Amino acid sequence: MPPRLPIALLGLAVAIVLADSSVVTIALPEILGRYDVDVETLAWALTSFNLALALAALPAAFLARRWAGPVYAVGAVVFASASLACALAPSFAVLVAGRTLQGVAGAAVVASALGLLAEATGADARAARIWALAGIAGAACGPAVGGVLTQLLGWEAIFVAQVPLALLAAAALLQVRTTPAPRSLERPHLAANAALLLVSGALVAALFLLVILLINGWRLSPLAAGIVVTVMPLAAIVAARLAGGITPLWARAASGVILVSGGLAALGWLPEAGAAWTVPPQVAIGAGLGLALSALTERALAGRSSQAVHGGWTLAARHAGVVLGLLLLTPIFTADLDAKRDEALAAGTAFVLDSRIPPIQKIGVSRDILAAVDEAEAEARVPDVGAVVKERGDGPAHEDLASALQDQLDRAATNAFSRSFLAAALLGLAGLVPILLDRRDVSV
């Protein structure tokens, strides 16, 4: 019977690191309030970690191939130290530097954990499954965990909590003996890694943009948004656990990609604003995430003697995909947000002019609304114009105007994300191309 404690600790380490690619998403409005930066600069809180991890994954994997234990230990300690630096960062530049160091150290932890899991379990295939499942759970749970910690304790708690967990995970080395990997190296599985890159890029919309829509667009609290997005990790974990019954691997991967893309398309065509409308698409995306990432990771590692190196390839592909998704989708989202804002203001002006409130109050209401919009724009959120109108009066005319204006803004916010979700769905569907081209191999 393989030792369960070191296996659990190694899985915990992988989950913590890969959760970090998305864990700060819900905290972005809080981070924006802490530091004097614009929205485009704020994105580096996400991009720096994923870019650093993607670039460091292969070098870390080659080091872990010969010195898995030391690489894992150093990576865990540096990751914990970088997490503490992020929590205490006096400026945004220091936060980005800490996030970058987290990415480099995280690459060392995750790449070496695969080889250590093989030693702990005594079987490469089982180690790969545990490694993939831990990564899926971490990546999917990141936004939900970040939301709960941000609401209850502040965004700094996200990084503070990582310090003891990373050091605890390092204790796995006390019960795992390591041996150097053989020198021979096979070429990476290009098709599986290409598909991982494209699917990971598409998942940016689910793990990042959906959270921004919930908090900044629909004004949910971080805790409420965190609860809403727990649907996705639950579906992902269940699907990943049940995925073994779907064979061959290419069929499981293709099914997952179709579910992810279908769920993203559904988010792009939401009938109206409301968190409940996001639940069915989240179920599809989560199930697709569990199926696709497990199948593609298993395919990328299957039959390869140097697991750490090929695990490094999958890490690089996944996080390069996240960076690609951020680069492709962010310009679409920001352009649409500006356009929808202007449309909403024009429609809102008409609502105010046509409303039944006293004419003398219309000027004051319009001025208050514009001030609220300008303040909210600086914080990259949709204003609560309903509350602004009600401050001017509480009669039926004011309530009707408040409701109409807020509905208009909510629709504008929802529509501003539509093209980004649809573009992400197309990016995910592109992942079918390498999967289907590779299906001729019966082991897929």
Side-chain angles (χ1 to χ4, degrees):
M1 176 71 71
R4 292 187 176 183
L5 180 59
I7 292 173
L9 291 175
L10 289 166
L12 174 65
V14 173
I16 291 171
V17 171
L18 297 188
D20 236 43
S21 67
S22 58
V23 73
V24 300
T25 307
I26 286 182
L28 288 179
E30 302 289 334
I31 295 174
L32 184 65
R34 168 76 179 275
Y35 303 109
D36 185 20
V37 296
D38 56 34
V39 177
E40 289 75 15
T41 303
L42 183 67
W44 280 100
L46 298 173
T47 306
S48 58
F49 176 86
N50 288 285
L51 182 60
L53 197 151
L55 293 175
L58 275 178
F62 276 100
L63 290 174
R65 181 170 173 255
R66 292 196 57 80
W67 302 291
V71 169
Y72 179 84
V74 171
V77 172
V78 173
F79 185 86
S81 302
S83 298
L84 186 59
C86 290
L88 302 176
S91 68
F92 188 73
V94 174
L95 176 64
V96 170
R99 291 286 287 162
T100 303
L101 187 57
Q102 276 189 313
V104 174
V109 170
V110 179
S112 55
L114 180 56
L116 295 172
L117 278 167
E119 296 285 349
T121 61
D124 285 349
R126 182 167 182 238
R129 285 193 296 271
I130 295 172
W131 189 77
L133 180 60
I136 290 169
C141 289
V145 173
V148 173
L149 289 175
T150 298
Q151 180 74 34
L152 298 181
L153 301 171
W155 67 266
E156 296 90 346
I158 294 172
F159 299 109
V160 172
Q162 291 173 350
V163 176
L165 291 176
L167 295 177
L168 175 64
L173 287 179
L174 299 176
Q175 299 185 50
V176 180
R177 294 179 178 274
T178 61
T179 55
R183 291 186 177 273
S184 62
L185 276 178
E186 308 93 337
R187 287 183 300 177
H189 194 291
L190 296 179
N193 284 306
L196 273 172
L197 185 148
L198 293 168
V199 174
S200 298
L203 285 168
V204 165
L207 298 176
F208 302 130
L209 292 186
L210 175 58
V211 172
I212 294 172
L213 173 61
L214 291 171
I215 295 179
N216 295 42
W218 295 344
R219 304 174 306 285
L220 269 67
S221 68
L223 179 60
I227 293 172
V228 170
V229 297
T230 56
V231 174
M232 209 176 331
L234 290 175
I237 293 169
V238 171
R241 292 297 300 269
L242 301 177
I246 302 176
T247 55
L249 282 178
W250 75 263
R252 188 204 308 174
S255 300
V257 168
I258 292 170
L259 283 170
V260 167
S261 297
L264 290 171
L267 289 175
W269 285 317
L270 291 175
E272 60 183 77
W277 289 105
T278 72
V279 172
Q282 282 193 73
V283 172
I285 294 168
L289 188 160
L291 294 177
L293 294 194
S294 65
L296 292 171
T297 302
E298 286 180 37
R299 177 55 180 151
L301 301 178
R304 284 160 169 76
S305 58
S306 186
Q307 293 274 286
V309 171
H310 293 287
W313 278 107
T314 69
L315 271 180
R318 283 179 59 172
H319 291 272
V322 172
V323 174
L324 174 66
L326 287 170
L327 292 176
L328 290 178
L329 300 178
T330 301
I332 299 173
F333 156 66
T334 53
D336 286 352
L337 193 61
D338 289 340
K340 297 300 179 183
R341 171 187 175 275
D342 293 340
E343 291 178 14
L345 285 177
T349 301
F351 280 132
V352 173
L353 293 176
D354 294 339
S355 67
R356 294 180 291 111
I357 65 175
I360 194 64
Q361 290 190 16
K362 291 182 179 180
I363 297 176
V365 168
S366 299
R367 185 175 58 246
D368 291 348
I369 290 173
L370 288 174
V373 169
D374 289 340
E375 180 183 352
E377 186 176 14
E379 299 175 2
R381 61 178 174 81
V382 172
D384 187 357
V385 294
V388 173
V389 174
K390 290 179 181 178
E391 287 178 0
R392 287 276 176 172
D394 56 2
H398 288 83
E399 291 181 1
D400 291 344
L401 177 59
S403 177
L405 287 173
Q406 200 63 64
D407 287 345
Q408 179 66 31
L409 279 178
D410 287 344
R411 282 197 299 271
T414 305
N415 293 337
F417 287 80
S418 179
R419 283 205 311 156
S420 299
F421 285 128
L422 295 176
L426 291 176
L427 184 62
L429 282 177
L432 284 175
V433 175
I435 292 170
L436 296 178
L437 288 176
D438 196 53
R439 72 187 188 283
R440 61 185 179 274
D441 188 329
V442 295
S443 64
V444 181

